[in-house]
């Protein structure tokens, strides 16, 4: 090196074609017809000729360019490719700047594509929940470079949520933040997960079972109250169908006519609508089919079986069925829409029905993948068909019991029920 002077570099003028001014050791100034002057270094690595881009003159002066060449020569002496090292250094710099919020976006995108069970997409409910946890409750972490986040930073966010009384949300948030850091680790953005140190930092919430009526006579009274409910007929139908099918309320709200096979008395719920992320078939009793026939008269050509009051393209709101129960006089500590599943499980277990059939009817599956799922469907289906018809007949029998409670009617105000 040392063939060029500052004056030569400064006075280099553009020509019709690109040309080079050599300095030595592979370093040269490439002068383009546009007038741009670029520092380049030619070298050989593993027998191949390669070029290292050093920078643009005058931002990178001659002395600095020579320093970069000396550094590259040392890397070559050590068996390192300067171009590959440059890319690795840039990637490391980008990792240093990558924020928690940027990784959150990648995490949510992957969750939507492959975050569910068996590699399928996560449910919209899961995506919405995790988005709220990360972008609302953990918003203080979003602008921070993820590599700099410490256990203390995460703990401050979690304690803020815990102090608001949302213990379950705090525990769930810690888990989801850990998922984000697991992704960041796989992308070589971090070396450890700061949530690991916080395993005992939060108060554990005491599980609270969903309220459910499990006494047979009281359950019969509830079903008679639903029969005479004078509010929105779609809500009455949804409550009856929930009681007869014991499906998850979210799946029922979003139920579509295309999922119903009336000929084979079956409702096939797609995996994307279910917690366990696998298809679930529900045998439909005579009584359940009668409810559907009534709903067809109400919903007409709508895609949804139980559409919203104001918009038949949207399902009933999440709280619609619970609000209807409240209007009938059932408090939030007495019974809820999800409680029909507990009512079914308790009553049918007490009556000595097959516990396995009961669990499969509730979509409480074991692992085993698709093959085992097909096997179990064939094995349990006849028994499940009989079980659901027995359950529907029992409900009729419960309703025939003498009642002690005066039926309640619904208020005319539907605001809380709108989807």
């Amino acid at each position: 090196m040392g063939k060029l002077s500052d004056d030569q570099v400064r006075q280099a003028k553009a020509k019709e074609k690109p040309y080079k001014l050599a300095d030595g050791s592979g370093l040269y100034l490439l002068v383009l017809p546009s007038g741009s002057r670029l520092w380049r270094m030619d070298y050989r690595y593993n027998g191949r000729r390669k070029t290292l881009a050093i920078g643009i003159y005058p931002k990178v002066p001659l002395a600095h360019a020579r320093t970069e060449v000396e550094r590259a020569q040392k890397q070559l002496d050590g068996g390192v490719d300067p171009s590959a090292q440059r890319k690795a250094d840039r990637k490391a710099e980008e990792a240093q700047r990558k924020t928690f919020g940027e990784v959150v976006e990648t995490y949510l995108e992957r969750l939507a594509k492959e975050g569910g069970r068996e590699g399928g997409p996560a449910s919209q409910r899961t995506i919405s929940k995790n988005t709220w946890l990360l972008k609302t409750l953990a918003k203080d972490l979003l602008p921070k470079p993820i590599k700099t986040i410490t256990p203390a930073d995460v703990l401050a966010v979690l304690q803020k949520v815990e102090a608001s009384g949302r213990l379950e949300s705090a525990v769930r948030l810690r888990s989801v933040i850990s998922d984000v850091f697991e992704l960041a680790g796989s992308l070589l953005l971090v070396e450890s997960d700061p949530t690991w140190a916080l395993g005992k930092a939060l108060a554990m919430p005491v599980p609270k079972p969903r309220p459910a009526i499990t006494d047979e006579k009281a359950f019969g009274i509830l079903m008679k109250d639903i029969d005479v409910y004078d509010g929105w007929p779609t809500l009455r139908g949804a409550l009856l169908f929930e009681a007869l099918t014991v499906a998850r309320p979210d799946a029922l709200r979003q139920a579509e006519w295309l999922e119903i096979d009336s000929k084979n008395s079956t409702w096939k719920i797609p995996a994307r609508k279910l917690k366990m992320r696998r298809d679930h078939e529900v045998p439909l009793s005579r009584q359940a089919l009668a409810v559907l026939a009534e709903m067809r008269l109400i919903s007409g050509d709508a895609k949804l079986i139980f559409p919203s009051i104001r918009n038949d393209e949207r399902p009933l709101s999440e709280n619609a069925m619970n609000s209807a129960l409240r209007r009938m006089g059932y408090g939030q500590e007495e019974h809820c829409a999800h409680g029909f599943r507990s009512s079914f499980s308790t009553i049918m277990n007490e009556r000595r029905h097959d516990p396995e059939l009961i669990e499969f009817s509730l979509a409480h599956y074991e692992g085993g993948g698709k093959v085992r799922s097909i096997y179990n469907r064939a094995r349990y289906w006849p028994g499940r068909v009989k079980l659901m018809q027995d359950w529907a007949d029992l409900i009729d029998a419960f309703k025939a019991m003498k009642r002690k409670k005066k039926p309640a009617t619904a208020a005319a105000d539907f605001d809380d029920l709108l989807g």
Side-chain angles (χ1 to χ4, degrees), residues 110-161:
R110 293 196 180 188
L111 191 67
K113 292 179 181 178
E114 55 192 44
R117 292 176 183 269
E118 299 181 3
S123 68
Q124 187 56 51
R125 183 180 180 87
T126 297
I127 295 168
S128 298
K129 178 72 171 179
N130 286 8
T131 299
W132 174 72
L133 288 168
L134 292 167
K135 292 191 174 183
T136 300
L137 298 188
K139 63 181 180 181
D140 291 346
L141 297 177
L142 297 178
K144 294 178 179 289
I146 193 165
K147 199 173 184 72
T148 68
I149 293 177
T150 65
D153 294 327
V154 177
L155 182 60
V157 168
L158 297 177
Q159 287 180 330
K160 188 175 180 180
V161 177

Side-chain angles (χ1 to χ4, degrees), residues 338-358:
H338 199 281
F340 288 105
R341 292 166 58 81
S342 296
S343 302
F344 165 77
S345 178
T346 300
I347 291 171
M348 298 307 269
N349 272 297
E350 287 178 348
R351 283 178 169 265
R352 307 293 184 184
H353 285 271
D354 188 336
E356 279 194 289
L357 290 178
I358 293 170

Side-chain angles (χ1 to χ4, degrees), residues 85-103:
Q85 186 61 48
R86 174 78 60 82
K87 290 178 182 178
D89 291 344
R90 285 177 179 169
K91 193 169 183 179
E93 289 174 9
E94 290 174 3
Q96 290 285 350
R97 295 193 298 269
K98 187 79 77 173
T99 66
F100 180 78
E102 289 176 297
V103 183

Side-chain angles (χ1 to χ4, degrees), residues 58-345:
K59 186 176 181 181
V60 177
L62 175 59
H64 183 76
R66 287 172 174 167
T67 300
E68 289 299 310
V69 169
E70 289 174 358
R71 179 182 300 169
Q73 289 289 359
K74 290 180 180 178
Q75 291 171 341
L76 286 167
D77 292 342
V80 176
D81 181 354
S83 294
Q85 186 61 48
R86 174 78 60 82
K87 290 178 182 178
D89 291 344
R90 285 177 179 169
K91 193 169 183 179
E93 289 174 9
E94 290 174 3
Q96 290 285 350
R97 295 193 298 269
K98 187 79 77 173
T99 66
F100 180 78
E102 289 176 297
V103 183
V104 164
E105 293 297 337
T106 303
Y107 166 77
L108 294 173
E109 288 172 7
R110 293 196 180 188
L111 191 67
K113 292 179 181 178
E114 55 192 44
R117 292 176 183 269
E118 299 181 3
S123 68
Q124 187 56 51
R125 183 180 180 87
T126 297
I127 295 168
S128 298
K129 178 72 171 179
N130 286 8
T131 299
W132 174 72
L133 288 168
L134 292 167
K135 292 191 174 183
T136 300
L137 298 188
K139 63 181 180 181
D140 291 346
L141 297 177
L142 297 178
K144 294 178 179 289
I146 193 165
K147 199 173 184 72
T148 68
I149 293 177
T150 65
D153 294 327
V154 177
L155 182 60
V157 168
L158 297 177
Q159 287 180 330
K160 188 175 180 180
V161 177
E162 185 181 44
S164 70
R166 292 175 287 192
L167 301 185
E168 290 184 5
S169 293
V171 172
R172 175 61 181 159
L173 178 58
R174 181 181 61 195
S175 175
V176 176
I177 290 175
S178 180
D179 290 342
V180 174
F181 272 91
E182 181 179 354
L183 172 61
S186 70
L187 298 174
L188 305 181
L189 299 176
V190 297
E191 295 179 359
S192 63
D193 178 355
T195 67
W196 292 345
L198 306 177
K200 297 182 179 180
L202 299 174
M204 295 302 295
V206 178
K208 186 177 181 181
R210 289 184 173 93
I213 293 174
T214 56
D215 175 78
E216 294 182 359
K217 183 175 287 189
F219 189 75
I221 293 172
L222 166 63
M223 296 307 300
K224 282 196 281 190
D225 285 344
I226 294 173
D227 274 345
V228 299
Y229 177 67
D230 63 358
W232 187 252
T234 300
L235 269 175
R236 174 182 171 276
L239 287 167
L240 288 172
F241 201 64
E242 174 63 39
L244 291 164
T245 62
V246 296
R248 294 186 183 277
D250 274 350
L252 184 138
R253 289 190 310 107
Q254 302 174 63
E256 301 176 19
W257 287 109
L258 287 174
E259 298 166 8
I260 302 298
D261 181 354
S262 299
K263 183 179 179 180
N264 294 301
S265 303
T266 304
W267 170 25
K268 186 172 183 178
I269 309 174
R272 59 186 168 81
K273 295 182 179 180
L274 292 170
K275 180 179 180 181
M276 298 302 290
R277 314 310 299 156
R278 63 171 65 180
D279 294 342
H280 176 62
E281 292 183 78
V282 180
L284 297 175
S285 61
R286 294 187 304 273
Q287 293 87 333
L289 289 170
V291 173
L292 289 177
E294 184 181 344
M295 289 301 100
R296 178 57 94 177
L297 296 176
I298 297 171
S299 66
D301 295 329
K303 180 174 78 170
L304 295 166
I305 300 174
F306 305 104
S308 164
I309 294 171
R310 284 185 178 169
N311 186 343
D312 63 10
E313 294 183 357
R314 294 177 58 191
L316 288 169
S317 72
E318 290 186 32
N319 294 319
M321 287 189 281
N322 286 332
S323 294
L325 289 168
R326 304 298 164 259
R327 282 178 163 79
M328 284 185 272
Y330 293 91
Q332 61 182 2
E333 301 298 325
E334 190 174 2
H335 196 79
C336 67
H338 199 281
F340 288 105
R341 292 166 58 81
S342 296
S343 302
F344 165 77
S345 178

Side-chain angles (χ1 to χ4, degrees), residues 217 220-221 224-225 330 401-408:
K217 183 175 287 189
I221 293 172
K224 282 196 281 190
D225 285 344
Y330 293 91
M401 294 179 180
K402 186 176 180 180
R403 70 175 294 133
K404 294 181 181 180
K405 182 176 179 179
K406 183 180 178 180

